[in-house]
Amino acid sequence: MKRLRPLLIIVLTLLAAGAAAVFLAPVPVTEAIFSLDRARSGLERKELVLPDGQRMVYLEGGQGEALLLLHGFRGNKDHFTRVGRFLTDRYRVIVPDLLGFGETAHPLDADYTPAAQARRLHAFMQALGAGGAHLGGSSMGGQIALHYAALYPAETRSLWLLAPNGVPGARPSELARAVAAGGSNVLMARDEDEFDQLFQLVMADPPFMPRFVRDVLAQESLRRQQVHERIYLDVHRDRSLGEAVRDVKAPALVVWGERDRVLDVSGAAALGRLLPRAQVIVLPGVGHLPTLEREERVARDYLAFLGGLAPR
């Protein structure tokens, strides 16, 4: 027993030091957690300045064909970090913070429509020397990816569409029905308590995340509230996706969570009918963010889809 006491003291001391670090410096601790996760996935944080002067921050790792992954509204580049762990062995994975989010610039007067973001991303890819690419996008990111494919068909090798926003023919979601009935729009969460509601809304089976990490992410997003309100209007007033989709010929993998409360799962079948070369997967027990709820499953499905494409 006497031999165990020094070890117990060391363990308790380390636990106390960790708790103190979280309490006194939650932001650096959160950044360290994300940095470790990126390193495990073979992704490195980088940044560049676009020709128009806007600063873009992104993750990059791996070699091979370029794979551009786009996060959704109020998300950031780390929504794809754990999925990237399964992709960097075979592809050059590029995951930016979209303009208005994360560490990238947040100009209030920018054009945030999906087509404008697609053109901005094209300039970003040109600056990286990555012309032709596979594109993946979650929610708003999928909407932007579809516009990119319509604008630059020769440079779009395939699409990975994870519950993309704006699909014509989809039924109103639980959230849309609640807002139409006069309820609050949780996507526009304005304090940490509402962010807890948002966290519960977007995922049916969320991964473990320490409360202090959730608070740090909420505080970061709240600092950009005015910009996010502007982006929300630009994205959700846009009705051009139906026309853009008609020009998309790239092979596509459509993935949707059966329990998606943000965008109704009927969008999967609707998009499958609109895209001539689409495969559709509906995931049981999954909500709006499959890349966070089932990262290994969606990565394996995606690699199988890519493996079945004709070589270029």
Side-chain angles (χ1 to χ4, degrees), residues 73-74 98-102 104-110 112 117 188 220-235:
F73 182 70
R74 294 203 107 151
L98 296 169
L99 194 76
F101 298 95
T104 288
H106 303 79
L108 186 58
D109 59 349
Y112 288 104
Q117 288 279 41
M188 296 312 305
E220 176 187 306
S221 187
L222 286 168
R223 287 195 295 271
R224 312 297 181 189
Q225 186 72 17
Q226 189 176 11
V227 174
H228 289 171
E229 289 178 358
R230 164 66 192 278
I231 296 171
Y232 183 86
L233 291 176
D234 274 0
V235 170

Side-chain angles (χ1 to χ4, degrees), residues 163 171 174 204 255-268 281-290 293-294:
R171 293 191 298 268
E174 177 183 327
V255 179
W256 222 291
E258 184 183 35
R259 295 174 61 190
D260 194 329
R261 301 165 65 195
V262 178
L263 295 171
D264 192 82
V265 67
S266 60
I281 296 175
V282 174
L283 298 172
V286 175
H288 185 57
L289 297 176
E293 298 179 63
R294 297 288 190 277

Side-chain angles (χ1 to χ4, degrees), residues 14 34 67 76 79 84 157 161 164 167 223 235 249 264 301:
L14 290 173
F34 281 118
L67 171 53
N76 60 39
H79 278 205
R157 294 178 178 171
L161 304 169
V167 175
R223 287 195 295 271
V235 170
K249 302 295 187 284
D264 192 82
D301 287 343

Side-chain angles (χ1 to χ4, degrees), residues 34-290:
F34 281 118
S35 294
L36 179 61
D37 224 16
R38 294 166 190 168
R40 290 180 62 201
S41 296
L43 295 168
E44 180 182 354
R45 179 193 176 280
K46 299 181 180 181
E47 58 183 87
L48 60 77
V49 177
L50 297 178
D52 65 359
Q54 302 290 4
R55 173 175 165 270
M56 296 277 289
V57 177
Y58 62 102
L59 304 177
E60 183 176 13
Q63 295 181 342
E65 294 181 314
L67 171 53
L68 176 65
L69 301 177
L70 309 175
H71 64 77
F73 182 70
R74 294 203 107 151
N76 60 39
K77 56 189 178 296
D78 283 298
H79 278 205
F80 283 100
T81 295
R82 294 193 175 183
V83 166
R85 189 168 305 159
F86 303 95
L87 305 176
T88 47
D89 283 347
R90 307 185 194 184
Y91 294 92
R92 179 189 177 187
V93 178
I94 302 165
V95 195
D97 277 329
L98 296 169
L99 194 76
F101 298 95
E103 296 182 86
T104 288
H106 303 79
L108 186 58
D109 59 349
D111 183 349
Y112 288 104
T113 59
Q117 288 279 41
R119 289 189 287 270
R120 195 172 289 122
L121 285 164
H122 184 256
F124 168 73
M125 294 296 278
Q126 293 293 307
L128 291 179
H134 302 279
L135 265 71
S138 172
S139 195
M140 178 191 70
Q143 185 178 9
I144 294 169
L146 280 163
H147 278 276
Y148 192 109
L151 289 167
Y152 310 105
E155 298 172 58
T156 304
R157 294 178 178 171
S158 72
L159 289 166
W160 186 25
L161 304 169
L162 299 131
N165 182 56
V167 175
R171 293 191 298 268
S173 66
E174 177 183 327
L175 175 63
R177 295 194 302 272
V179 172
S184 62
N185 185 352
V186 183
L187 289 179
M188 296 312 305
R190 290 174 172 81
D191 57 41
E192 290 177 14
D193 288 338
E194 289 187 352
F195 261 89
D196 278 344
Q197 298 175 36
L198 176 60
F199 190 84
Q200 297 303 319
L201 175 76
V202 296
M203 287 183 280
D205 186 18
F208 170 73
M209 180 182 291
R211 178 57 191 252
F212 75 90
V213 173
R214 289 164 61 178
D215 289 345
V216 167
L217 295 177
Q219 291 158 11
E220 176 187 306
S221 187
L222 286 168
R223 287 195 295 271
R224 312 297 181 189
Q225 186 72 17
Q226 189 176 11
V227 174
H228 289 171
E229 289 178 358
R230 164 66 192 278
I231 296 171
Y232 183 86
L233 291 176
D234 274 0
V235 170
H236 289 272
R237 285 176 177 171
D238 186 80
R239 296 292 182 270
S240 62
L241 187 62
E243 181 178 351
V245 166
R246 290 199 293 267
D247 296 325
V248 174
K249 302 295 187 284
L253 177 64
V254 179
V255 179
W256 222 291
E258 184 183 35
R259 295 174 61 190
D260 194 329
R261 301 165 65 195
V262 178
L263 295 171
D264 192 82
V265 67
S266 60
L271 194 55
R273 291 190 295 268
L274 290 168
L275 295 175
R277 303 174 65 190
Q279 299 178 31
V280 177
I281 296 175
V282 174
L283 298 172
V286 175
H288 185 57
L289 297 176

